[in-house]
Amino acid sequence: MRSSDYRAAARKSLEGQWGTFALLMLSSGILSMLVAGGIGSIFGSDNSFVSTLTELLLTFAFGYGIFYASLYAVRGGKAEVGMIFSIFNGGRYLPLLLVNLVEWLVGLISSFVLALPFIGILGFGVISTMLLTGGSGNLVSSVVGFGGFSAIALLTLLFVVIIAGVGTLVDGYFQIVVLIRLDFPEMKLGDVFSYAFTLLKGRLW
């Protein structure tokens, strides 16, 4: 199927359900803010560690609930706003929690690995310049002396573009993983990850 065919099928599935999905999106945002705000009021709203845990362990489920409703609509069903809580039912929470944690780890590791060359280039520039100047000058002047602001800006832009591209691929892959798990709840998680790669073969590589 072509991309236009998928879009046409999606529009057909959403006929008469646009309002429901608008409410689902709105509910997801409101519930996420309420949960994050409630936990933040207990542990401190400026606690980034608690905010990250809240998103990783709880509020992710509302987004996945929209996935469940979407899949239900594609299969010919009529979505309901209550499906925003569907991940907490039917034994779905723990497997999808694991998927969410794996996605977070993959994103963290890939960002770190992609950042290494960028950090290495800047570090090389700082060390080289400081050796040539006998260690005089500050860090900013050392970096600028190596390549100038234009070179640093170009490297930063390149880094941001690469990180965004990889992040999009990772996010897309894990969305497929979530949909497969929701569609085939009896499938083991290892098989779900493998099947997602199988579906992507010939489309991305």
Side-chain angles (χ1 to χ4, degrees), residues 158-169:
L158 182 62
F159 174 68
V160 170
V161 170
I162 292 174
I163 288 291
V166 172
T168 300
L169 290 175

Side-chain angles (χ1 to χ4, degrees), residues 1-74:
M1 291 179 66
R2 296 172 299 178
S3 298
S4 58
D5 296 327
Y6 286 111
R7 289 194 294 269
R11 285 194 295 269
K12 185 176 181 180
S13 299
L14 286 172
E15 286 180 357
Q17 303 196 64
W18 290 100
T20 300
F21 277 93
L23 287 175
L24 279 166
M25 296 291 292
L26 181 63
S27 299
S28 176
I30 292 175
L31 287 170
S32 296
M33 286 191 295
L34 289 175
V35 171
I39 294 177
S41 66
I42 299 173
F43 297 98
S45 58
D46 57 344
N47 192 324
S48 59
F49 177 72
V50 172
S51 298
T52 300
L53 281 183
T54 302
E55 183 178 354
L56 285 174
L57 303 179
L58 288 174
T59 58
F60 81 93
F62 302 134
Y64 285 4
I66 296 176
F67 285 7
Y68 178 84
S70 302
L71 188 62
Y72 191 78
V74 168

Side-chain angles (χ1 to χ4, degrees), residues 54-157:
T54 302
E55 183 178 354
L56 285 174
L57 303 179
L58 288 174
T59 58
F60 81 93
F62 302 134
Y64 285 4
I66 296 176
F67 285 7
Y68 178 84
S70 302
L71 188 62
Y72 191 78
V74 168
R75 294 290 182 263
K78 188 171 180 61
E80 299 176 359
V81 177
M83 289 179 176
I84 198 75
F85 301 107
S86 59
I87 304 305
F88 298 106
N89 304 319
R92 302 184 186 96
Y93 175 74
L94 287 179
L96 291 177
L97 170 63
L98 182 58
V99 170
N100 189 54
L101 292 175
V102 172
E103 179 180 3
W104 178 76
L105 285 173
V106 170
L108 193 67
I109 293 171
S110 61
S111 297
F112 176 74
V113 171
L114 291 172
L116 287 178
F118 179 77
I119 296 171
I121 292 172
L122 291 182
F124 176 76
V126 171
I127 294 172
S128 299
T129 305
M130 293 188 72
L131 286 174
L132 291 173
T133 59
S136 60
N138 58 36
L139 179 61
V140 174
S141 63
S142 298
V143 173
V144 173
F146 173 66
F149 277 115
S150 58
I152 301 303
L154 181 60
L155 284 173
T156 302
L157 178 62

